[in-house]
Amino acid sequence: MTYNDRPLISASTILGMGMGGFVDGILFHQIFQLHNMLSNRVPKVNLVNMEINMFWDGIFHAFTWIMTAIGLWLFWRAMNRDKVPKQIKTFVGSLFLGWGLFNLIEGIIDHYVIQLHHVVENLGLSIFDLLFLASGVIMIIVGQRLIQAGRKGIQKSII
Amino acid sequence: MILLLSPLASACPLCHTEIGEQVRGKIFNSSFPLILLETAAPFIIFMIIAFVLHFGWPTKRSMSRGAVSRQNDV
């Protein structure tokens, strides 16, 4: 019998990206208000600029929601396939992988390349942006390890 | 008291106020498509990564490296 963990990994990774996106948006953009989507270009110095940032934060959340919805749909499909192993380590590992990829890619693109915003806007490009990327790398490594452990678990179960 | 006497500042993008007009004007202008693309950029890459995770690199699809297989049925 052939097992295929790819559908579970891809679905859970997208879910992890979505969850990471919501943590970024809710925690940093809204609760801490350390940065907002365009805060490097449109500084939050008056009500109009704050409204503009709030609008683009909403667009960011809309994209995050769409991605999470796609992840849920793929996860549902994966769970209904006989050949996809229901392995918790693969699932949790992929969530970590997705969250890590979110921090790494969003950090590189939005903080460093396009520079739409930074983690702490008052400081500009700072150590906190680097820590944001580092957190992404750590979560990717943890995720990969868990996925590998999940694959070993699958192999043991079929031998 | 000062707060009670100060004028209300309705500023939502849908508000028909002076500030609302300013907000709309600074969102829906010629730079809107570019900022939309910039905001979407990470998500486009996320979906490409998810595609590769699911199907593998297009040239290596047939290899299906993610499959853990066994010759005999369990």
Side-chain angles (χ1 to χ4, degrees), chain A residues 5-70:
Chain A
D5 60 357
R6 278 188 182 277
L8 177 60
I9 292 171
S10 57
S12 308
T13 300
I14 296 174
L15 278 175
M17 289 168 175
M19 299 296 281
F22 280 127
V23 169
D24 182 65
I26 295 167
L27 190 67
F28 290 110
H29 292 223
Q30 293 179 317
I31 296 176
F32 292 159
Q33 298 185 18
L34 287 171
H35 65 238
N36 292 87
M37 204 59 208
L38 297 187
S39 54
N40 189 39
R41 291 188 191 168
V42 185
K44 297 184 297 173
V45 291
N46 56 47
L47 185 59
V48 172
N49 285 9
M50 286 177 76
E51 288 281 338
I52 292 164
N53 272 290
M54 202 184 293
F55 173 85
W56 287 107
D57 281 341
I59 298 294
F60 170 81
H61 276 136
F63 284 135
T64 307
W65 189 91
I66 290 167
M67 204 169 59
T68 308
I70 292 169

Short mmCIF file of all heavy atoms in Angstrom, two decimals, chain A residues 5-70:
data_model
loop_
_atom_site.label_atom_id
_atom_site.label_comp_id
_atom_site.label_asym_id
_atom_site.label_seq_id
_atom_site.Cartn_x
_atom_site.Cartn_y
_atom_site.Cartn_z
N ASP A 5 1.98 11.69 2.07
CA ASP A 5 1.73 12.72 3.08
C ASP A 5 1.74 14.14 2.51
O ASP A 5 1.52 15.10 3.23
CB ASP A 5 2.73 12.59 4.24
CG ASP A 5 4.17 12.75 3.79
OD1 ASP A 5 4.41 12.89 2.58
OD2 ASP A 5 5.07 12.72 4.65
N ARG A 6 2.00 14.27 1.21
CA ARG A 6 2.06 15.60 0.60
C ARG A 6 0.76 16.41 0.77
O ARG A 6 0.83 17.59 1.12
CB ARG A 6 2.41 15.50 -0.88
CG ARG A 6 3.90 15.35 -1.13
CD ARG A 6 4.18 15.45 -2.62
NE ARG A 6 5.58 15.26 -2.91
CZ ARG A 6 6.49 16.22 -2.83
NH1 ARG A 6 6.12 17.43 -2.46
NH2 ARG A 6 7.74 15.98 -3.09
N PRO A 7 -0.42 15.82 0.54
CA PRO A 7 -1.64 16.63 0.71
C PRO A 7 -1.79 17.17 2.14
O PRO A 7 -2.25 18.31 2.32
CB PRO A 7 -2.77 15.63 0.38
CG PRO A 7 -2.13 14.64 -0.52
CD PRO A 7 -0.73 14.48 -0.01
N LEU A 8 -1.41 16.35 3.14
CA LEU A 8 -1.50 16.81 4.53
C LEU A 8 -0.49 17.92 4.79
O LEU A 8 -0.81 18.93 5.44
CB LEU A 8 -1.25 15.63 5.49
CG LEU A 8 -1.23 15.97 6.98
CD1 LEU A 8 -2.57 16.56 7.44
CD2 LEU A 8 -0.90 14.73 7.82
N ILE A 9 0.72 17.76 4.26
CA ILE A 9 1.77 18.77 4.48
C ILE A 9 1.40 20.10 3.82
O ILE A 9 1.49 21.16 4.45
CB ILE A 9 3.14 18.27 3.95
CG1 ILE A 9 3.64 17.10 4.82
CG2 ILE A 9 4.17 19.39 3.95
CD1 ILE A 9 4.86 16.39 4.27
N SER A 10 0.96 20.04 2.57
CA SER A 10 0.64 21.30 1.86
C SER A 10 -0.55 22.00 2.51
O SER A 10 -0.51 23.22 2.74
CB SER A 10 0.37 21.04 0.38
OG SER A 10 -0.68 20.11 0.21
N ALA A 11 -1.60 21.24 2.86
CA ALA A 11 -2.79 21.85 3.48
C ALA A 11 -2.43 22.46 4.84
O ALA A 11 -2.80 23.61 5.13
CB ALA A 11 -3.89 20.79 3.65
N SER A 12 -1.69 21.71 5.66
CA SER A 12 -1.36 22.19 7.00
C SER A 12 -0.37 23.35 6.94
O SER A 12 -0.39 24.24 7.78
CB SER A 12 -0.77 21.06 7.84
OG SER A 12 -1.62 19.94 7.81
N THR A 13 0.51 23.33 5.93
CA THR A 13 1.45 24.45 5.78
C THR A 13 0.70 25.73 5.44
O THR A 13 0.99 26.80 5.99
CB THR A 13 2.49 24.13 4.68
OG1 THR A 13 3.19 22.94 5.05
CG2 THR A 13 3.48 25.26 4.52
N ILE A 14 -0.29 25.63 4.55
CA ILE A 14 -1.10 26.81 4.22
C ILE A 14 -1.86 27.29 5.46
O ILE A 14 -1.93 28.49 5.73
CB ILE A 14 -2.08 26.52 3.06
CG1 ILE A 14 -1.31 26.18 1.79
CG2 ILE A 14 -2.99 27.72 2.80
CD1 ILE A 14 -2.18 25.74 0.64
N LEU A 15 -2.39 26.34 6.24
CA LEU A 15 -3.07 26.72 7.49
C LEU A 15 -2.09 27.42 8.43
O LEU A 15 -2.45 28.41 9.08
CB LEU A 15 -3.65 25.48 8.18
CG LEU A 15 -5.00 24.97 7.67
CD1 LEU A 15 -5.37 23.67 8.36
CD2 LEU A 15 -6.09 26.01 7.90
N GLY A 16 -0.88 26.89 8.52
CA GLY A 16 0.14 27.51 9.37
C GLY A 16 0.49 28.92 8.91
O GLY A 16 0.67 29.82 9.73
N MET A 17 0.58 29.10 7.59
CA MET A 17 0.84 30.44 7.05
C MET A 17 -0.30 31.39 7.44
O MET A 17 -0.07 32.53 7.83
CB MET A 17 0.94 30.39 5.52
CG MET A 17 2.20 29.73 5.00
SD MET A 17 2.05 29.41 3.23
CE MET A 17 3.68 28.80 2.85
N GLY A 18 -1.52 30.88 7.34
CA GLY A 18 -2.68 31.69 7.70
C GLY A 18 -2.68 32.05 9.18
O GLY A 18 -2.91 33.20 9.56
N MET A 19 -2.42 31.04 10.02
CA MET A 19 -2.38 31.29 11.47
C MET A 19 -1.27 32.29 11.81
O MET A 19 -1.46 33.20 12.63
CB MET A 19 -2.14 29.98 12.24
CG MET A 19 -3.22 28.93 12.05
SD MET A 19 -4.81 29.42 12.68
CE MET A 19 -4.56 29.10 14.41
N GLY A 20 -0.11 32.13 11.16
CA GLY A 20 1.00 33.07 11.37
C GLY A 20 0.62 34.47 10.93
O GLY A 20 0.96 35.45 11.59
N GLY A 21 -0.09 34.54 9.82
CA GLY A 21 -0.54 35.84 9.32
C GLY A 21 -1.49 36.53 10.28
O GLY A 21 -1.40 37.74 10.51
N PHE A 22 -2.38 35.74 10.86
CA PHE A 22 -3.33 36.32 11.81
C PHE A 22 -2.63 36.77 13.10
O PHE A 22 -2.98 37.79 13.67
CB PHE A 22 -4.46 35.34 12.13
CG PHE A 22 -5.52 35.30 11.05
CD1 PHE A 22 -5.91 34.12 10.46
CD2 PHE A 22 -6.13 36.47 10.61
CE1 PHE A 22 -6.87 34.08 9.46
CE2 PHE A 22 -7.08 36.47 9.61
CZ PHE A 22 -7.46 35.26 9.04
N VAL A 23 -1.64 35.99 13.55
CA VAL A 23 -0.87 36.41 14.73
C VAL A 23 -0.17 37.74 14.43
O VAL A 23 -0.23 38.68 15.23
CB VAL A 23 0.17 35.34 15.15
CG1 VAL A 23 1.14 35.89 16.18
CG2 VAL A 23 -0.54 34.11 15.70
N ASP A 24 0.46 37.82 13.27
CA ASP A 24 1.15 39.05 12.87
C ASP A 24 0.16 40.22 12.81
O ASP A 24 0.41 41.28 13.39
CB ASP A 24 1.82 38.85 11.51
CG ASP A 24 2.59 40.08 11.06
OD1 ASP A 24 3.57 40.43 11.73
OD2 ASP A 24 2.19 40.69 10.06
N GLY A 25 -0.94 39.99 12.13
CA GLY A 25 -1.92 41.07 11.95
C GLY A 25 -2.61 41.49 13.23
O GLY A 25 -2.73 42.68 13.53
N ILE A 26 -3.05 40.49 14.00
CA ILE A 26 -3.80 40.80 15.22
C ILE A 26 -2.87 41.32 16.32
O ILE A 26 -3.15 42.34 16.95
CB ILE A 26 -4.60 39.57 15.70
CG1 ILE A 26 -5.68 39.20 14.67
CG2 ILE A 26 -5.24 39.82 17.05
CD1 ILE A 26 -6.32 37.84 14.88
N LEU A 27 -1.76 40.59 16.53
CA LEU A 27 -0.87 40.95 17.65
C LEU A 27 -0.08 42.23 17.36
O LEU A 27 -0.12 43.18 18.14
CB LEU A 27 0.08 39.79 17.95
CG LEU A 27 0.91 39.91 19.22
CD1 LEU A 27 0.03 39.83 20.46
CD2 LEU A 27 1.98 38.81 19.28
N PHE A 28 0.63 42.24 16.23
CA PHE A 28 1.53 43.38 15.96
C PHE A 28 0.80 44.59 15.36
O PHE A 28 1.08 45.72 15.73
CB PHE A 28 2.67 42.95 15.03
CG PHE A 28 3.65 42.02 15.67
CD1 PHE A 28 3.73 40.70 15.30
CD2 PHE A 28 4.48 42.46 16.69
CE1 PHE A 28 4.64 39.82 15.89
CE2 PHE A 28 5.39 41.61 17.30
CZ PHE A 28 5.46 40.28 16.90
N HIS A 29 -0.13 44.32 14.41
CA HIS A 29 -0.79 45.45 13.75
C HIS A 29 -1.86 46.07 14.64
O HIS A 29 -1.98 47.29 14.70
CB HIS A 29 -1.44 45.00 12.44
CG HIS A 29 -0.44 44.63 11.37
ND1 HIS A 29 -0.57 45.01 10.06
CD2 HIS A 29 0.70 43.89 11.43
CE1 HIS A 29 0.46 44.53 9.35
NE2 HIS A 29 1.23 43.85 10.18
N GLN A 30 -2.64 45.20 15.32
CA GLN A 30 -3.80 45.75 16.02
C GLN A 30 -3.61 45.92 17.53
O GLN A 30 -3.90 46.97 18.07
CB GLN A 30 -5.03 44.87 15.73
CG GLN A 30 -5.45 44.94 14.27
CD GLN A 30 -6.63 44.04 13.96
OE1 GLN A 30 -6.69 42.91 14.41
NE2 GLN A 30 -7.56 44.55 13.18
N ILE A 31 -3.17 44.86 18.22
CA ILE A 31 -3.08 44.94 19.68
C ILE A 31 -1.89 45.82 20.10
O ILE A 31 -2.05 46.79 20.84
CB ILE A 31 -2.98 43.53 20.31
CG1 ILE A 31 -4.27 42.74 20.03
CG2 ILE A 31 -2.73 43.63 21.83
CD1 ILE A 31 -4.26 41.31 20.52
N PHE A 32 -0.69 45.48 19.62
CA PHE A 32 0.49 46.28 19.99
C PHE A 32 0.59 47.57 19.18
O PHE A 32 1.19 48.55 19.63
CB PHE A 32 1.77 45.46 19.80
CG PHE A 32 1.93 44.31 20.76
CD1 PHE A 32 2.76 43.24 20.46
CD2 PHE A 32 1.24 44.28 21.97
CE1 PHE A 32 2.92 42.18 21.34
CE2 PHE A 32 1.40 43.23 22.85
CZ PHE A 32 2.23 42.17 22.53
N GLN A 33 0.05 47.56 17.96
CA GLN A 33 0.13 48.70 17.04
C GLN A 33 1.56 49.19 16.88
O GLN A 33 1.83 50.39 16.83
CB GLN A 33 -0.80 49.83 17.49
CG GLN A 33 -2.25 49.38 17.49
CD GLN A 33 -3.24 50.48 17.82
OE1 GLN A 33 -2.93 51.65 17.74
NE2 GLN A 33 -4.44 50.08 18.18
N LEU A 34 2.49 48.22 16.83
CA LEU A 34 3.90 48.55 16.63
C LEU A 34 4.13 48.96 15.18
O LEU A 34 4.97 49.78 14.88
CB LEU A 34 4.79 47.35 16.97
CG LEU A 34 4.94 47.03 18.45
CD1 LEU A 34 5.65 45.70 18.65
CD2 LEU A 34 5.71 48.14 19.15
N HIS A 35 3.42 48.31 14.31
CA HIS A 35 3.51 48.68 12.91
C HIS A 35 2.18 48.41 12.23
O HIS A 35 1.39 47.61 12.71
CB HIS A 35 4.64 47.93 12.19
CG HIS A 35 4.45 46.45 12.10
ND1 HIS A 35 5.34 45.55 12.60
CD2 HIS A 35 3.47 45.71 11.54
CE1 HIS A 35 4.91 44.33 12.36
NE2 HIS A 35 3.79 44.40 11.71
N ASN A 36 1.94 49.10 11.14
CA ASN A 36 0.77 48.82 10.31
C ASN A 36 1.28 48.66 8.89
O ASN A 36 2.44 48.88 8.61
CB ASN A 36 -0.26 49.95 10.42
CG ASN A 36 -0.87 49.99 11.81
OD1 ASN A 36 -0.33 50.63 12.70
ND2 ASN A 36 -1.97 49.30 12.01
N MET A 37 0.37 48.25 8.02
CA MET A 37 0.79 47.79 6.69
C MET A 37 1.68 48.78 5.94
O MET A 37 2.70 48.42 5.40
CB MET A 37 -0.47 47.46 5.87
CG MET A 37 -0.23 46.48 4.76
SD MET A 37 0.40 44.92 5.38
CE MET A 37 1.34 44.37 3.97
N LEU A 38 1.28 50.04 5.89
CA LEU A 38 2.06 51.02 5.11
C LEU A 38 2.77 52.03 6.00
O LEU A 38 3.09 53.14 5.55
CB LEU A 38 1.13 51.78 4.15
CG LEU A 38 0.40 51.01 3.06
CD1 LEU A 38 -0.32 51.97 2.15
CD2 LEU A 38 1.33 50.13 2.27
N SER A 39 3.00 51.66 7.26
CA SER A 39 3.46 52.66 8.23
C SER A 39 4.83 53.26 7.90
O SER A 39 5.14 54.35 8.38
CB SER A 39 3.46 52.08 9.64
OG SER A 39 4.21 50.89 9.69
N ASN A 40 5.63 52.59 7.07
CA ASN A 40 6.91 53.19 6.68
C ASN A 40 6.72 54.26 5.61
O ASN A 40 7.51 55.19 5.51
CB ASN A 40 7.87 52.10 6.18
CG ASN A 40 9.28 52.62 5.97
OD1 ASN A 40 9.76 53.43 6.75
ND2 ASN A 40 9.93 52.18 4.91
N ARG A 41 5.66 54.12 4.81
CA ARG A 41 5.40 55.10 3.74
C ARG A 41 4.38 56.15 4.16
O ARG A 41 4.45 57.30 3.73
CB ARG A 41 4.87 54.39 2.49
CG ARG A 41 5.89 53.53 1.82
CD ARG A 41 5.33 53.02 0.51
NE ARG A 41 6.18 51.98 -0.04
CZ ARG A 41 5.82 51.21 -1.03
NH1 ARG A 41 4.63 51.35 -1.59
NH2 ARG A 41 6.64 50.28 -1.48
N VAL A 42 3.38 55.69 4.93
CA VAL A 42 2.33 56.59 5.39
C VAL A 42 2.38 56.60 6.92
O VAL A 42 1.66 55.83 7.56
CB VAL A 42 0.94 56.13 4.89
CG1 VAL A 42 -0.14 57.13 5.25
CG2 VAL A 42 0.95 55.88 3.38
N PRO A 43 3.25 57.40 7.51
CA PRO A 43 3.42 57.38 8.98
C PRO A 43 2.11 57.71 9.70
O PRO A 43 1.33 58.56 9.23
CB PRO A 43 4.47 58.47 9.23
CG PRO A 43 5.09 58.75 7.92
CD PRO A 43 4.08 58.42 6.87
N LYS A 44 1.90 57.05 10.83
CA LYS A 44 0.63 57.23 11.57
C LYS A 44 0.69 58.50 12.42
O LYS A 44 0.69 58.45 13.64
CB LYS A 44 0.37 56.01 12.46
CG LYS A 44 0.18 54.73 11.68
CD LYS A 44 -0.17 53.58 12.61
CE LYS A 44 0.96 53.32 13.58
NZ LYS A 44 0.60 52.33 14.61
N VAL A 45 0.73 59.63 11.74
CA VAL A 45 0.87 60.89 12.47
C VAL A 45 -0.45 61.66 12.54
O VAL A 45 -0.54 62.65 13.25
CB VAL A 45 1.96 61.78 11.83
CG1 VAL A 45 3.34 61.18 12.05
CG2 VAL A 45 1.69 62.00 10.34
N ASN A 46 -1.44 61.22 11.79
CA ASN A 46 -2.75 61.88 11.87
C ASN A 46 -3.85 60.86 11.56
O ASN A 46 -3.56 59.72 11.16
CB ASN A 46 -2.82 63.09 10.93
CG ASN A 46 -2.49 62.69 9.49
OD1 ASN A 46 -3.00 61.71 8.97
ND2 ASN A 46 -1.63 63.47 8.85
N LEU A 47 -5.07 61.30 11.73
CA LEU A 47 -6.21 60.38 11.58
C LEU A 47 -6.31 59.81 10.16
O LEU A 47 -6.56 58.61 9.99
CB LEU A 47 -7.50 61.11 11.95
CG LEU A 47 -8.78 60.28 11.97
CD1 LEU A 47 -8.68 59.14 12.96
CD2 LEU A 47 -9.98 61.16 12.29
N VAL A 48 -6.09 60.64 9.16
CA VAL A 48 -6.20 60.18 7.76
C VAL A 48 -5.19 59.06 7.50
O VAL A 48 -5.53 58.01 6.95
CB VAL A 48 -5.99 61.36 6.78
CG1 VAL A 48 -5.92 60.86 5.34
CG2 VAL A 48 -7.12 62.37 6.91
N ASN A 49 -3.95 59.28 7.92
CA ASN A 49 -2.91 58.27 7.70
C ASN A 49 -3.20 56.98 8.48
O ASN A 49 -2.93 55.88 7.99
CB ASN A 49 -1.55 58.82 8.11
CG ASN A 49 -1.01 59.81 7.10
OD1 ASN A 49 -1.72 60.21 6.18
ND2 ASN A 49 0.23 60.24 7.27
N MET A 50 -3.76 57.13 9.68
CA MET A 50 -4.12 55.94 10.45
C MET A 50 -5.22 55.15 9.75
O MET A 50 -5.20 53.93 9.71
CB MET A 50 -4.56 56.33 11.87
CG MET A 50 -3.40 56.73 12.76
SD MET A 50 -3.91 57.25 14.38
CE MET A 50 -4.29 55.68 15.12
N GLU A 51 -6.17 55.88 9.16
CA GLU A 51 -7.26 55.23 8.43
C GLU A 51 -6.73 54.49 7.20
O GLU A 51 -7.18 53.39 6.88
CB GLU A 51 -8.30 56.27 8.00
CG GLU A 51 -9.13 56.82 9.14
CD GLU A 51 -10.24 55.89 9.55
OE1 GLU A 51 -10.63 55.03 8.75
OE2 GLU A 51 -10.70 56.02 10.70
N ILE A 52 -5.78 55.10 6.52
CA ILE A 52 -5.19 54.48 5.33
C ILE A 52 -4.48 53.17 5.73
O ILE A 52 -4.65 52.13 5.10
CB ILE A 52 -4.21 55.45 4.63
CG1 ILE A 52 -4.99 56.62 4.03
CG2 ILE A 52 -3.41 54.73 3.53
CD1 ILE A 52 -4.12 57.81 3.65
N ASN A 53 -3.72 53.25 6.82
CA ASN A 53 -3.03 52.05 7.30
C ASN A 53 -4.03 50.97 7.72
O ASN A 53 -3.82 49.78 7.47
CB ASN A 53 -2.13 52.41 8.49
CG ASN A 53 -0.75 52.84 8.03
OD1 ASN A 53 0.03 52.04 7.55
ND2 ASN A 53 -0.46 54.13 8.15
N MET A 54 -5.11 51.42 8.36
CA MET A 54 -6.14 50.47 8.80
C MET A 54 -6.77 49.76 7.61
O MET A 54 -7.02 48.55 7.63
CB MET A 54 -7.21 51.20 9.61
CG MET A 54 -8.02 50.31 10.53
SD MET A 54 -9.34 51.20 11.36
CE MET A 54 -8.41 52.30 12.40
N PHE A 55 -6.99 50.51 6.52
CA PHE A 55 -7.56 49.93 5.30
C PHE A 55 -6.64 48.84 4.75
O PHE A 55 -7.09 47.72 4.47
CB PHE A 55 -7.76 51.03 4.24
CG PHE A 55 -8.19 50.50 2.90
CD1 PHE A 55 -9.54 50.27 2.63
CD2 PHE A 55 -7.27 50.21 1.90
CE1 PHE A 55 -9.94 49.77 1.40
CE2 PHE A 55 -7.65 49.70 0.68
CZ PHE A 55 -9.00 49.48 0.42
N TRP A 56 -5.33 49.15 4.65
CA TRP A 56 -4.41 48.17 4.08
C TRP A 56 -4.16 47.01 5.03
O TRP A 56 -3.88 45.89 4.59
CB TRP A 56 -3.11 48.84 3.63
CG TRP A 56 -3.34 49.65 2.39
CD1 TRP A 56 -3.40 51.00 2.27
CD2 TRP A 56 -3.61 49.13 1.08
NE1 TRP A 56 -3.68 51.37 0.97
CE2 TRP A 56 -3.81 50.24 0.22
CE3 TRP A 56 -3.71 47.86 0.54
CZ2 TRP A 56 -4.11 50.09 -1.13
CZ3 TRP A 56 -4.00 47.70 -0.80
CH2 TRP A 56 -4.19 48.81 -1.63
N ASP A 57 -4.28 47.23 6.35
CA ASP A 57 -4.26 46.12 7.30
C ASP A 57 -5.42 45.17 7.01
O ASP A 57 -5.28 43.94 7.08
CB ASP A 57 -4.38 46.63 8.74
CG ASP A 57 -3.08 47.17 9.29
OD1 ASP A 57 -2.01 46.86 8.73
OD2 ASP A 57 -3.13 47.92 10.28
N GLY A 58 -6.56 45.77 6.69
CA GLY A 58 -7.75 44.97 6.36
C GLY A 58 -7.54 44.14 5.11
O GLY A 58 -7.93 42.96 5.05
N ILE A 59 -6.90 44.72 4.10
CA ILE A 59 -6.61 43.97 2.86
C ILE A 59 -5.67 42.81 3.18
O ILE A 59 -5.85 41.68 2.70
CB ILE A 59 -5.98 44.91 1.79
CG1 ILE A 59 -6.95 46.04 1.42
CG2 ILE A 59 -5.55 44.11 0.56
CD1 ILE A 59 -8.22 45.60 0.71
N PHE A 60 -4.66 43.08 4.02
CA PHE A 60 -3.72 42.04 4.45
C PHE A 60 -4.48 40.90 5.15
O PHE A 60 -4.26 39.72 4.86
CB PHE A 60 -2.69 42.68 5.40
CG PHE A 60 -1.80 41.70 6.11
CD1 PHE A 60 -0.69 41.16 5.49
CD2 PHE A 60 -2.07 41.31 7.42
CE1 PHE A 60 0.13 40.26 6.15
CE2 PHE A 60 -1.26 40.43 8.09
CZ PHE A 60 -0.16 39.90 7.45
N HIS A 61 -5.40 41.26 6.04
CA HIS A 61 -6.19 40.25 6.74
C HIS A 61 -7.10 39.49 5.79
O HIS A 61 -7.34 38.29 5.96
CB HIS A 61 -7.04 40.90 7.85
CG HIS A 61 -6.28 41.08 9.13
ND1 HIS A 61 -6.35 42.23 9.88
CD2 HIS A 61 -5.44 40.26 9.78
CE1 HIS A 61 -5.57 42.10 10.94
NE2 HIS A 61 -5.01 40.92 10.90
N ALA A 62 -7.61 40.18 4.77
CA ALA A 62 -8.48 39.53 3.78
C ALA A 62 -7.70 38.45 3.02
O ALA A 62 -8.18 37.32 2.84
CB ALA A 62 -9.05 40.56 2.80
N PHE A 63 -6.48 38.78 2.60
CA PHE A 63 -5.63 37.79 1.92
C PHE A 63 -5.33 36.62 2.87
O PHE A 63 -5.33 35.45 2.45
CB PHE A 63 -4.32 38.42 1.45
CG PHE A 63 -4.45 39.27 0.22
CD1 PHE A 63 -3.83 40.52 0.15
CD2 PHE A 63 -5.16 38.83 -0.88
CE1 PHE A 63 -3.94 41.32 -0.99
CE2 PHE A 63 -5.28 39.62 -2.02
CZ PHE A 63 -4.66 40.87 -2.07
N THR A 64 -5.07 36.94 4.14
CA THR A 64 -4.76 35.89 5.12
C THR A 64 -5.97 34.98 5.30
O THR A 64 -5.83 33.75 5.39
CB THR A 64 -4.38 36.54 6.48
OG1 THR A 64 -3.34 37.49 6.25
CG2 THR A 64 -3.89 35.50 7.47
N TRP A 65 -7.15 35.58 5.34
CA TRP A 65 -8.39 34.79 5.51
C TRP A 65 -8.60 33.86 4.31
O TRP A 65 -8.94 32.68 4.48
CB TRP A 65 -9.59 35.74 5.66
CG TRP A 65 -10.85 35.03 6.04
CD1 TRP A 65 -11.33 34.80 7.30
CD2 TRP A 65 -11.80 34.43 5.12
NE1 TRP A 65 -12.51 34.09 7.22
CE2 TRP A 65 -12.82 33.85 5.92
CE3 TRP A 65 -11.88 34.33 3.74
CZ2 TRP A 65 -13.91 33.20 5.35
CZ3 TRP A 65 -12.97 33.66 3.17
CH2 TRP A 65 -13.97 33.11 3.98
N ILE A 66 -8.38 34.39 3.10
CA ILE A 66 -8.56 33.58 1.89
C ILE A 66 -7.60 32.39 1.93
O ILE A 66 -7.99 31.25 1.63
CB ILE A 66 -8.34 34.44 0.61
CG1 ILE A 66 -9.47 35.44 0.45
CG2 ILE A 66 -8.22 33.56 -0.64
CD1 ILE A 66 -9.20 36.53 -0.58
N MET A 67 -6.35 32.67 2.33
CA MET A 67 -5.35 31.59 2.37
C MET A 67 -5.74 30.53 3.41
O MET A 67 -5.61 29.33 3.17
CB MET A 67 -3.99 32.19 2.72
CG MET A 67 -2.85 31.34 2.25
SD MET A 67 -1.31 32.21 2.39
CE MET A 67 -1.28 32.56 4.12
N THR A 68 -6.23 30.97 4.57
CA THR A 68 -6.66 30.03 5.60
C THR A 68 -7.84 29.20 5.12
O THR A 68 -7.90 27.98 5.38
CB THR A 68 -7.04 30.79 6.90
OG1 THR A 68 -5.97 31.66 7.24
CG2 THR A 68 -7.31 29.84 8.05
N ALA A 69 -8.75 29.84 4.41
CA ALA A 69 -9.92 29.11 3.87
C ALA A 69 -9.47 28.04 2.86
O ALA A 69 -9.98 26.92 2.88
CB ALA A 69 -10.89 30.10 3.22
N ILE A 70 -8.51 28.40 2.01
CA ILE A 70 -7.96 27.42 1.05
C ILE A 70 -7.31 26.26 1.81
O ILE A 70 -7.49 25.09 1.48
CB ILE A 70 -6.95 28.09 0.09
CG1 ILE A 70 -7.67 29.08 -0.83
CG2 ILE A 70 -6.20 27.05 -0.75
CD1 ILE A 70 -6.74 29.98 -1.63
#
